[in-house]
Amino acid sequence: AAYRAVGLAVGVVGLAALAFAPQVFARVPMPLLGALLIWVGVSLTLAWLVRPIRTLRRSEYAIILVILGVSIAAGLPAGIGMGLLTALVLFAVEYARVDGVRFVASGRDFHSRAISQQRRSELAGRGDAIAIIKLAGFMFFGTSDRIVQRIVAQAQTAGSKGPWYAILDFSRVTGFDSSTVLSFERLRRTAERDGFHVVFAGLGALATRLSDGGLDIETAPFHRAADVEAALRWAESELLGVQPEGQPDSIPAEASLAQLLGDPGLARAIFPYLVREEYAADQRVILEGTDADDIYIIESGQGSVMLEAKGGEPVALMDFAAGTILGEVAFYGREVRSASALARTPVVAWKLTRDGLTQVETERPEAATAFHRALARLLAERLQSANRLIRVLAD
């Protein structure tokens, strides 16, 4: 209303109706009151019973019919109570259908961050033997059972080709009920029978609840890891039959070149054009925003590649260790560095400058051609891995 007087007038009419309603209705013909009741009833029936047929799902519309039927048989309060109870049951059933899985990726798409280039190549054809399953939300009888069924089905497909490892990331799980423990106990029996492994990662305080429920997550075929990174390192090492990579090691740059090029002779031809660099712990090997005129081959030490957003916390993209090649994307794109590389321990790196590569092209063209082809293959593999991951996330 545009004026306050409207509210006052409505209030006066309401008070008058309270005071004089009996006298007014005594003079109203009964057929008119009956027609008014019929009109109100028909309007409510159309609004709440007929029109929702087109807008509500069948399960939701069934609640309306339950409320109507119980109200007719036992009164309105009973109808409302039964409607509330039916809605709660429907919510539980619908929530049980929620998958509880954010996304599933394979070991081809996700590697441990500190993995060497050699092990990355060895895993290229065996990455499907590792599945990373990121969970989310609250888990109860419906969601946990669906997750177990999904793991078992995938294990039967992939596990038939050899060892198979399922990594369950609980970092975004808010909690679970006792039925979840029973579902995972059933998963244990299936894993023992079929010979696959399940790694529980990122449990945090939830590990105590699993233990209190009687589930042993420390004994094979179950394993426990602090986070997905630790779980990946363990699964990759088990798959390759080697010790987990952890402490800083050393791989000669010439050996890394030979692994990249597939020809030790070509690696020896390029190696004299590399420049040795040493970096102290907490020193930047690459600085975000600078010109990309060098490619680095890490010989020893460890560090992290990170985005150093202005005004925010740095975001770690990956770790690097001996054998890692850094800076090739921006080098070939002739762009400024899009991220920084920070040494966590003392790092020894060999640098191939743009001028040095030009010399190689002039003096050893066959070696330069092999180098370009090898880096093109490396970039193509990374692009394919990124595309697979994007498809996984898009689903």
Side-chain angles (χ1 to χ4, degrees):
Y3 306 99
R4 293 183 179 180
V6 175
L8 295 174
V10 171
V12 169
V13 171
L15 290 172
L18 286 174
F20 303 106
Q23 294 84 345
V24 173
F25 280 108
R27 290 171 173 76
V28 175
M30 293 298 292
L32 180 59
L33 292 177
L36 179 63
L37 288 174
I38 292 174
W39 178 79
V40 171
V42 171
S43 298
L44 291 175
T45 301
L46 290 174
W48 293 97
L49 195 62
V50 178
R51 292 173 186 168
I53 294 178
R54 298 181 179 179
T55 58
L56 296 180
R57 293 179 303 159
R58 291 182 179 179
S59 57
E60 294 171 338
Y61 186 73
I63 297 177
I64 296 177
L65 297 179
V66 168
I67 295 174
L68 177 64
V70 175
S71 297
I72 293 173
L76 183 59
I80 294 176
M82 183 58 69
L84 178 61
L85 179 61
T86 307
L88 291 174
V89 172
L90 177 63
F91 171 78
V93 172
E94 292 291 337
Y95 195 81
R97 296 177 180 174
V98 176
D99 201 347
V101 175
R102 292 181 64 212
F103 69 87
V104 179
S106 72
R108 291 190 302 161
D109 310 312
F110 267 74
H111 301 101
S112 57
R113 291 183 297 182
I115 189 173
S116 65
Q117 188 63 41
Q118 180 179 357
R119 292 195 180 182
R120 189 185 298 271
S121 300
E122 292 173 357
L123 285 168
R126 306 176 65 183
D128 288 334
I130 300 175
I132 302 96
I133 304 171
K134 290 187 172 286
L135 310 176
F138 186 87
M139 298 175 60
F140 67 112
F141 65 92
T143 53
S144 61
D145 189 64
R146 288 171 64 87
I147 291 169
V148 168
Q149 290 179 9
R150 186 168 187 166
I151 294 172
V152 171
Q154 193 167 351
Q156 290 175 346
T157 302
S160 60
K161 303 175 183 178
W164 189 73
Y165 303 85
I167 297 174
L168 304 182
D169 180 13
F170 284 79
S171 58
R172 291 183 178 269
V173 174
T174 57
F176 48 77
D177 64 5
S178 58
S179 64
T180 301
V181 176
L182 298 177
S183 297
F184 285 140
E185 188 59 43
R186 181 163 56 87
L187 178 62
R188 168 189 286 281
R189 293 194 297 269
T190 306
E192 290 174 345
R193 182 194 67 196
D194 296 345
F196 62 89
H197 300 267
V198 180
V199 188
F200 292 81
L203 279 171
L206 297 177
T208 303
R209 294 194 57 188
L210 286 176
S211 299
D212 292 344
L215 185 68
D216 181 8
I217 57 175
E218 307 286 351
T219 306
F222 284 176
H223 306 269
R224 182 184 173 187
D227 51 29
V228 174
E229 174 67 15
L232 274 170
R233 285 201 301 267
W234 179 85
E236 289 167 351
S237 300
E238 288 289 316
L239 185 61
L240 295 177
V242 296
Q243 291 298 316
E245 291 181 324
Q247 297 301 320
D249 53 358
S250 177
I251 301 177
E254 188 173 333
S256 297
L257 269 176
Q259 173 72 22
L260 177 68
L261 301 177
D263 188 330
L266 294 175
R268 287 193 295 270
I270 295 177
F271 185 73
Y273 297 89
L274 273 61
V275 180
R276 190 177 189 272
E277 301 279 353
E278 293 187 9
Y279 301 89
D282 297 326
Q283 185 178 358
R284 281 166 178 75
V285 180
I286 293 174
L287 180 61
E288 183 177 340
T290 58
D291 292 334
D293 292 327
D294 313 287
I295 296 175
Y296 295 83
I297 300 175
I298 305 301
E299 182 172 274
S300 65
Q302 291 184 339
S304 298
V305 177
M306 58 183 61
L307 291 175
E308 298 184 297
K310 294 181 179 179
E313 291 292 329
V315 178
L317 301 178
M318 60 170 283
D319 292 347
F320 64 83
T324 305
I325 297 175
L326 296 177
E328 74 284 0
V329 176
F331 180 89
Y332 276 100
R334 293 183 177 273
E335 302 171 347
V336 297
R337 302 292 188 188
S338 59
S340 295
L342 178 67
R344 300 292 186 190
T345 65
V347 168
V348 174
W350 290 80
K351 178 174 67 175
L352 179 62
T353 65
R354 195 176 297 278
D355 291 339
L357 184 57
T358 301
Q359 281 187 279
V360 177
E361 292 170 343
T362 302
E363 300 172 5
R364 302 298 301 268
E366 74 288 354
T369 300
F371 183 79
H372 288 308
R373 286 178 177 173
L375 282 187
R377 183 176 64 253
L378 178 64
L379 292 173
E381 291 173 355
R382 293 180 180 177
L383 179 60
Q384 289 174 347
S385 178
N387 287 338
R388 289 194 298 269
L389 183 57
I390 290 172
R391 285 196 295 269
V392 168
L393 295 174
D395 291 339

